[in-house]
């Protein structure tokens, strides 16, 4: 069986990555899945353990780091660990399922080195003020959290050129169609090349 494609998706908080990925999974179906990341940040209202994230305490996360159980991990916004357990990626790809990673630029850099054959997409908004507006609309973060996320957004945007494709998520329907087309084209390209 052919190895499933690996898709790396990054972009600042508030850019709409999760929404685009959810739309793609609805449209493309079971040939792709989203890898569930682990984090030490607190669980937000409405988030479900094992669907949105694995919510681990710092001790467990650091134990998994020592066991080399992560494909990638990083400290994000200077406060919390985020990482992708290897078990969320390799076993699915071995069975031919494509795996989408919603990870930050630090994690993406680590994964690109491990898996040279991948598709990388950076999702962004046209203007920095749009990030602040979207973050405030969430009503889940303090002013200090928002300021920290905007500072992180500036640093991430400076690295958007490291990705093979960039999508400006100004119109959700248009961005979702572009995102899905990139996944389909990449999957077809791998099939043509015999999926190395």
């Amino acid at each position: 069986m052919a190895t499933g494609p690996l898709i790396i998706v990054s972009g600042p908080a508030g850019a709409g990555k999760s929404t685009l990925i959810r739309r793609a999974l609805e449209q493309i179906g079971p040939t792709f899945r989203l890898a569930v990341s682990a984090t030490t940040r607190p669980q937000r209202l409405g988030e479900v353990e094992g669907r949105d994230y694995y919510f681990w305490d710092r001790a467990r996360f650091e134990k998994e780091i020592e066991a080399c159980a992560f494909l990638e991990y990083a400290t994000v916004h200077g406060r919390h660990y985020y990482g992708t357990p290897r078990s969320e990626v390799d076993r699915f790809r071995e069975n031919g399922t494509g795996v989408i990673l919603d990870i930050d630029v630090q994690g993406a850099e680590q994964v690109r080195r491990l898996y040279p054959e991948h598709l990388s997409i950076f999702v962004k908004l046209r203007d920095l003020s749009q990030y602040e507006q979207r973050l405030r609309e969430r009503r889940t973060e303090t002013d200090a959290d928002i300021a920290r996320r905007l500072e992180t957004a500036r640093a991430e945007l400076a690295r958007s050129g490291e990705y093979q494709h960039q999508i400006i998520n100004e119109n959700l329907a248009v961005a979702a169609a572009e995102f899905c087309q990139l996944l389909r084209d990449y999957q077809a390209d791998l099939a043509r090349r015999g999926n190395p």
Side-chain angles (χ1 to χ4, degrees), residues 132 135-136 141-151:
E132 182 171 2
L135 290 170
R136 291 196 183 284
E141 284 134 328
T142 66
D143 285 344
D145 289 335
I146 290 171
R148 193 170 21 259
R149 284 182 175 269
L150 289 173
E151 189 57 39

Side-chain angles (χ1 to χ4, degrees), residues 43-95:
Q43 190 170 352
R44 293 181 187 141
L45 188 65
E47 288 182 327
V48 176
E49 169 74 22
R51 183 194 71 192
D52 298 297
Y53 286 97
Y54 296 110
F55 296 96
W56 294 348
D57 62 26
R58 197 167 195 85
R60 176 169 180 192
F61 202 104
E62 290 175 349
K63 183 179 177 185
E64 297 294 332
I65 290 172
E66 288 174 21
C68 298
F70 286 106
L71 186 65
E72 58 80 28
Y73 72 91
T75 303
V76 179
H77 311 301
R79 300 174 64 194
H80 300 293
Y81 281 126
Y82 286 79
T84 306
R86 289 181 184 277
S87 61
E88 283 290 309
V89 178
D90 294 337
R91 67 188 168 113
F92 293 99
R93 293 188 68 223
E94 287 165 8
N95 291 324

Side-chain angles (χ1 to χ4, degrees), residues 34-195:
L34 174 64
V36 179
S37 298
T39 183
T40 58
R41 79 152 168 77
Q43 190 170 352
R44 293 181 187 141
L45 188 65
E47 288 182 327
V48 176
E49 169 74 22
R51 183 194 71 192
D52 298 297
Y53 286 97
Y54 296 110
F55 296 96
W56 294 348
D57 62 26
R58 197 167 195 85
R60 176 169 180 192
F61 202 104
E62 290 175 349
K63 183 179 177 185
E64 297 294 332
I65 290 172
E66 288 174 21
C68 298
F70 286 106
L71 186 65
E72 58 80 28
Y73 72 91
T75 303
V76 179
H77 311 301
R79 300 174 64 194
H80 300 293
Y81 281 126
Y82 286 79
T84 306
R86 289 181 184 277
S87 61
E88 283 290 309
V89 178
D90 294 337
R91 67 188 168 113
F92 293 99
R93 293 188 68 223
E94 287 165 8
N95 291 324
T97 301
V99 176
I100 300 173
L101 302 177
D102 178 355
I103 55 180
D104 74 340
V105 294
Q106 298 171 70
E109 182 179 12
Q110 294 172 51
V111 173
R112 283 195 303 263
R113 282 196 304 264
L114 290 172
Y115 298 96
E117 182 61 60
H118 65 269
L119 173 68
S120 63
I121 303 168
F122 191 90
V123 180
K124 62 184 182 177
L125 302 175
R126 203 169 286 287
D127 182 284
L128 195 64
S129 66
Q130 292 176 300
Y131 295 105
E132 182 171 2
Q133 179 184 341
R134 287 188 181 186
L135 290 170
R136 291 196 183 284
E137 286 170 358
R138 286 182 181 178
R139 300 181 192 277
T140 57
E141 284 134 328
T142 66
D143 285 344
D145 289 335
I146 290 171
R148 193 170 21 259
R149 284 182 175 269
L150 289 173
E151 189 57 39
T152 301
R154 286 184 187 89
E156 289 175 328
L157 288 164
R159 296 184 66 179
S160 63
E162 297 173 12
Y163 291 74
Q164 295 160 325
H165 300 276
Q166 295 181 37
I167 294 177
I168 296 174
N169 189 10
E170 191 167 72
N171 176 304
L172 180 58
V174 171
E178 184 180 351
F179 187 84
C180 287
Q181 193 59 53
L182 286 171
L183 267 59
R184 287 187 186 105
D185 290 348
Y186 182 62
Q187 201 169 28
D189 183 53
L190 287 178
R192 275 193 304 274
R193 292 188 281 132
N195 200 355

